[in-house]
Amino acid sequence: MSGFGWVAWIVIGIIAGWLAEQIMGRNHGLLTNLVVGVVGALIGGFLFNTLGGDAGGNWIIGLIVATLGAIILLFLLGLVKRRA
């Protein structure tokens, strides 16, 4: 997702975090959605690039990849929280 600027990262992060929150049935605030979305974008981008994909500045693919990464992040955080 290197083709995006900082503003795009923030917008995609907020949207991806919100979508992941809705899909996973969680309830967080805007800042948490941003953090989850941006970290999810990093996770999703890493996995997507490892599998040979490239978002290359495409908003739709970037949003899908970031949302999937955010879902993975929320799932892993849920597992850790249950164990603690």
Side-chain angles (χ1 to χ4, degrees):
M1 292 183 51
S2 61
F4 298 114
W6 285 103
V7 173
W9 272 86
I10 292 170
V11 171
I12 289 174
I14 291 170
I15 295 170
W18 181 81
L19 286 171
E21 172 185 84
Q22 298 303 308
I23 291 169
M24 297 297 288
R26 308 284 171 88
N27 188 17
H28 302 115
L30 183 64
L31 183 60
T32 303
N33 286 344
L34 171 63
V35 172
V36 167
V38 171
V39 173
L42 293 172
I43 293 169
F46 172 77
L47 294 174
F48 191 66
N49 288 335
T50 300
L51 296 173
D54 181 25
N58 186 327
W59 280 77
I60 296 171
I61 294 173
L63 183 59
I64 292 168
V65 167
T67 302
L68 291 175
I71 290 170
I72 292 169
L73 177 63
L74 288 176
F75 176 76
L76 293 174
L77 289 174
L79 288 177
V80 170
K81 193 173 185 180
R82 278 187 230 166
R83 288 187 164 212

